[in-house]
Amino acid sequence: MPGRLQEELKQRRPFELPEEALLNVVRTADALHQRVAQVLKPFGLTEAQYNALRILRGAGEEGRTCKEISDRMIKRDPDVTRMLDRLVTRKLVRRERDSSDRRVVRSHITTDGKALLHRADPAIRNMHKELTEAVNPASLRSLIETLEALRQ
């Protein structure tokens, strides 16, 4: 009997177990990214922009350099500088040269950026709740452990 992924992909031959497991991770990640994109679209944000704004909100008055933001991103973005440029243009982020080292540029979230996150955060939280409500907490913990083991 074919597995669900096999049916979704219209695959004739069965997958080997490791292949099926990892393809399921990739397929699920893609579905989640699409869902996040849908939720963020009304706010005019991409997933990467939302992530960067959250990083900057968490940085407080200290702000973050482009490298620091890149290191903290959930999903790697090869061009964080250009993404930040777009957020600066929208007045969601501002940049300042470091007073002790003029070569260092720090990004800071603006009041408008915080306000946008304040409106977007509940939509993301609701999506998380909807997606996980059918899964018990023990299974979620097990999933986290399994995914962390795969990333090792």
Side-chain angles (χ1 to χ4, degrees), residues 8-9 25-42 45-48 75 124 127 131:
E8 285 178 20
L9 299 178
V25 169
V26 173
R27 182 82 169 184
T28 303
D30 182 59
L32 293 174
H33 289 302
Q34 289 177 28
R35 182 77 182 269
V36 171
Q38 278 181 318
V39 170
L40 291 175
K41 188 174 183 176
L45 291 173
T46 66
E47 189 175 357
K75 188 176 172 192
I124 292 292
M127 180 202 65
L131 289 172

Side-chain angles (χ1 to χ4, degrees), residues 41-53:
K41 188 174 183 176
F43 303 99
L45 291 173
T46 66
E47 189 175 357
Q49 290 170 335
Y50 178 73
N51 189 198
L53 287 172

Side-chain angles (χ1 to χ4, degrees), residues 64-79:
R64 292 281 180 247
T65 65
C66 197
K67 168 109 172 66
E68 290 169 336
I69 293 167
S70 181
D71 289 346
R72 289 171 170 77
M73 295 289 286
I74 293 170
K75 188 176 172 192
R76 297 289 175 191
D77 187 327
D79 202 353

